Amino acid sequence: MKDLLGTPFPAVGVKIYKMEDETVPPGAFRDYAGTSYCEAVMRATMGEPQLLKPGSISVCRWSPPVLGLKEAESDFEKEREPKLPFLISAAAVARLADWPAEAGDPDIVLLRGERRYFEKILEKAGPDAIYDGDGSIDKTMVPALTGKGPVHPAKAALVKAVNALLDFMGRFKAWNKLTVWMFKREGTSRVLNWILDRAMANMSMCRNSTVIPYLTGRINVSHFCTGGISWGKNPPHYMTGGVPFPIYKRIESSIGK
């Protein structure tokens, strides 16, 4: 399948395996063990299909309960919303170009690109296919992209500035070690979450680009969060979006016209 966006980042499929669903095809994906969902998507983007299971994510405290890979136990985990119900047995991620036929169709297609690409995607998809959330900038930029909700220019400028700084700081090993230390602990994660919820994007690839489209059946787009820049290695001027696979197939051929 061709890259919908025409950007250096290929489209990445995501399939959620629930306990009652079919089993994961043996050998179709590599068992993931690492920092975060964002990092797993980055590995998939580089041509390494990944399979996330309970216990796969060792640092990020946001994505496991959000993806249903961990039961929400603490108040911090229970407050992550929306989230998939526990227990999701696995989440598979792979480029569409690498997607194994035996796995069936993915549920969601993750896209990353500049604002103008997502504006075109939303236009082609139509209003009935677009997430109509509350407009909180930590969850969605759809209202701003469609001109039908608050734009939050000051907050959007802050997100871009901070993401650019995170991209720069990511070149230094000491900073990367510090982020791992901070995100691995619930106390520091709580402080960071308070800031992210109010001033920045939060859970950009796990909640915003995967869970919200999966639960609503609609497209969502947001800025990247700290993890999406630091661990996902995404360009700070890009946005991330999740498109339910049936919608992706409907608009794929027309998006380049």
Side-chain angles (χ1 to χ4, degrees):
M1 301 180 185
K2 69 179 181 179
D3 174 10
L4 175 66
L5 292 179
T7 71
F9 285 90
V12 170
V14 182
K15 189 173 182 68
I16 303 297
Y17 288 92
K18 295 177 286 189
M19 293 299 290
E20 67 270 19
D21 281 357
E22 70 275 20
T23 57
V24 181
F29 305 93
R30 303 179 186 180
D31 286 348
Y32 173 74
T35 302
S36 67
Y37 181 69
C38 304
E39 184 188 59
V41 173
M42 181 268 289
R43 292 187 189 180
T45 303
M46 301 301 291
E48 301 177 8
Q50 303 289 310
L51 185 69
L52 296 94
K53 301 176 181 178
S56 290
I57 296 172
S58 60
V59 175
C60 178
R61 302 189 68 90
W62 282 261
S63 51
V66 164
L67 293 170
L69 296 171
K70 180 187 185 300
E71 185 175 11
E73 297 172 323
S74 68
D75 290 342
F76 176 82
E77 293 171 342
K78 291 177 181 178
E79 290 167 0
R80 304 307 103 218
E81 292 290 350
K83 55 178 170 283
L84 299 181
F86 179 76
L87 170 68
I88 298 300
S89 61
V93 291
R95 295 187 305 197
L96 292 188
D98 303 324
W99 194 263
E102 63 270 28
D105 290 338
D107 296 309
I108 301 296
V109 178
L110 299 178
L111 303 172
R112 287 157 289 170
E114 297 176 351
R115 176 178 178 135
R116 61 190 177 91
Y117 292 111
F118 284 111
E119 288 175 338
K120 191 169 188 179
I121 288 169
L122 296 178
E123 178 187 352
K124 293 293 184 179
D128 292 340
I130 299 172
Y131 174 63
D132 55 354
D134 59 9
S136 301
I137 197 169
D138 69 306
K139 290 182 181 177
T140 184
M141 278 295 290
V142 167
L145 295 176
T146 58
K148 296 181 179 180
V151 178
H152 303 300
K155 286 187 177 181
L158 176 62
V159 171
K160 292 178 182 178
V162 172
N163 283 351
L165 177 61
L166 291 171
D167 180 60
F168 173 77
M169 295 298 293
R171 305 172 191 179
F172 303 100
K173 291 183 180 180
W175 170 256
N176 292 327
K177 289 181 180 179
L178 177 62
T179 59
V180 168
W181 182 88
M182 290 189 298
F183 281 85
K184 201 169 185 176
R185 288 157 177 78
E186 185 167 315
T188 49
S189 293
R190 284 179 179 274
V191 175
L192 291 168
N193 189 79
W194 187 90
I195 297 171
L196 295 172
D197 276 348
R198 288 158 177 77
M200 295 180 62
N202 198 4
M203 297 176 275
S204 60
M205 301 201 75
C206 56
R207 180 189 65 187
N208 300 353
S209 296
T210 301
V211 172
I212 288 177
Y214 183 85
L215 292 176
T216 65
R218 297 186 175 200
I219 301 170
N220 191 33
V221 183
S222 78
H223 285 295
F224 282 107
C225 63
T226 303
I229 299 297
S230 298
W231 299 325
K233 305 302 180 185
N234 292 287
H237 63 287
Y238 272 22
M239 291 182 172
T240 174
V243 184
F245 188 71
I247 299 175
Y248 176 88
K249 291 302 295 179
R250 175 168 63 83
I251 66 176
E252 181 186 16
S253 61
S254 66
I255 201 67
K257 296 179 182 179

